[in-house]
Amino acid sequence: MSFCDDCFKGVTHEGTPKGKWEKIGGIDCYVGIPSGIEYPKDKVLLFLSDVFGMQLINNQLLVDDFADNGILTYGIDYFFGEPIPADAMQPGNTFDRDAWREKHGYEITRPAVDAVVAALKEKGVVVFGTTGYCFGAAYAVPLAIENVTQVTAVSHPSRLKVPEDLEKYCSVSKAPFLINSCEEDAMFPAEAQAKADVIFGDGKFAPGYKREYFPGCKHGFAVRGDMSDPMVKAGKEGAFKSTVEWMQKYL
């Protein structure tokens, strides 16, 4: 349930965020609302971010991109305005990761997710999808195990117990499961990827399972990848495409 160095590395992307901040159940959320197209108001995608939170422009741009594909998306600020700052990605930064971890454990942050889900249900939302990146996968998987959510995607997941969490997911969840994996990932290495295929693959998970694999990429690629590297660019864009298609199929 720890982190790796790549959880804290990456590149800040360029762009102009189009979404807006809203209080949902008392929790700040960065919201991407589809514009100029019809979209279902009773279905939402919960964007569960890495340690850099919804304040990181990369995450905001991803939420915007999901909205551009017709998916109403809520990026939950479960760090309560205190994510790891973007400049902590810079080499030599002395940000105290250990102190931050102590203040942002699962027991502290999960209630924010639950508050948003409850508030959205009150607004009429009946179907929830999740896309969890790194840290966020540790919410996406339990939500699916509890059958709070109806479809799941994770990219370079961290803080999962393998095989226990995967076996429990397969045995009790009804949520189709997409994993975007990569070549170099200490948090979800080749052994864990292979174990996931054994547990879910060959039709053993009736709701649906797919694992994408992106060579030349490392942990964090789907959010903080260096877009000047052609393989990383292909991986980031491929992970986004697969997640959109998964949500459009099952959400």
Side-chain angles (χ1 to χ4, degrees):
M1 297 293 283
S2 60
F3 296 91
C4 68
D5 283 346
D6 286 325
C7 290
F8 306 96
K9 295 179 179 178
V11 174
T12 301
H13 297 158
E14 295 181 356
T16 303
K18 299 182 294 185
K20 62 180 182 178
W21 287 94
E22 291 185 19
K23 285 275 190 186
I24 307 293
I27 305 299
D28 287 328
C29 293
Y30 181 84
V31 185
I33 302 174
S35 176
I37 54 175
E38 289 295 320
Y39 66 95
K41 311 296 192 300
D42 61 347
K43 300 179 180 181
V44 304
L45 176 62
L46 302 177
F47 185 100
L48 306 170
S49 77
D50 58 10
V51 295
F52 296 95
M54 291 315 308
Q55 287 76 10
L56 183 69
I57 189 172
N58 303 29
N59 288 321
Q60 295 179 3
L61 294 174
L62 280 168
V63 168
D64 293 344
D65 287 342
F66 283 114
D68 286 343
N69 280 272
I71 304 171
L72 179 60
T73 307
Y74 288 79
I76 304 173
D77 179 18
Y78 38 60
F79 302 132
F80 309 104
E82 295 182 347
I84 291 184
D87 59 13
M89 283 189 265
Q90 300 303 317
N93 188 279
T94 58
F95 184 83
D96 191 339
R97 300 174 183 174
D98 292 332
W100 184 88
R101 278 194 290 251
E102 288 292 322
K103 296 179 180 178
H104 300 87
Y106 183 85
E107 297 77 10
I108 297 170
T109 52
R110 169 66 193 266
V113 179
D114 295 335
V116 171
V117 170
L120 289 174
K121 285 182 176 180
E122 290 181 0
K123 291 176 177 288
V125 175
V126 295
V127 180
F128 292 86
T130 59
T131 180
Y133 299 85
C134 186
F135 189 101
Y139 306 99
V141 168
L143 286 166
I145 288 172
E146 296 162 19
N147 285 303
V148 173
T149 52
Q150 285 69 51
V151 53
T152 310
V154 296
S155 298
H156 42 82
S158 70
R159 305 187 306 144
L160 297 181
K161 294 179 181 178
V162 177
E164 295 89 342
D165 289 342
L166 301 181
E167 289 173 342
K168 190 170 185 179
Y169 191 118
C170 188
S171 65
V172 304
S173 181
K174 299 174 184 176
F177 193 24
L178 168 69
I179 301 174
N180 290 309
S181 62
C182 61
E183 183 173 349
E184 187 177 338
D185 192 342
M187 292 289 92
F188 199 70
E191 296 81 5
Q193 296 173 28
K195 178 61 71 173
D197 291 345
V198 169
I199 293 169
F200 293 97
D202 297 323
K204 289 192 286 291
F205 186 57
Y209 169 72
K210 186 177 185 180
R211 181 174 68 85
E212 299 280 8
Y213 176 79
F214 298 98
C217 296
K218 62 173 59 177
H219 184 83
F221 76 96
V223 176
R224 308 181 307 277
D226 183 354
M227 299 295 277
S228 68
D229 182 320
M231 293 192 76
V232 175
K233 183 175 186 292
K236 180 183 181 298
E237 293 175 349
F240 176 76
K241 181 175 183 291
S242 67
T243 302
V244 167
E245 291 174 348
W246 198 250
M247 294 301 155
Q248 290 175 335
K249 182 176 182 179
Y250 291 110
L251 186 61

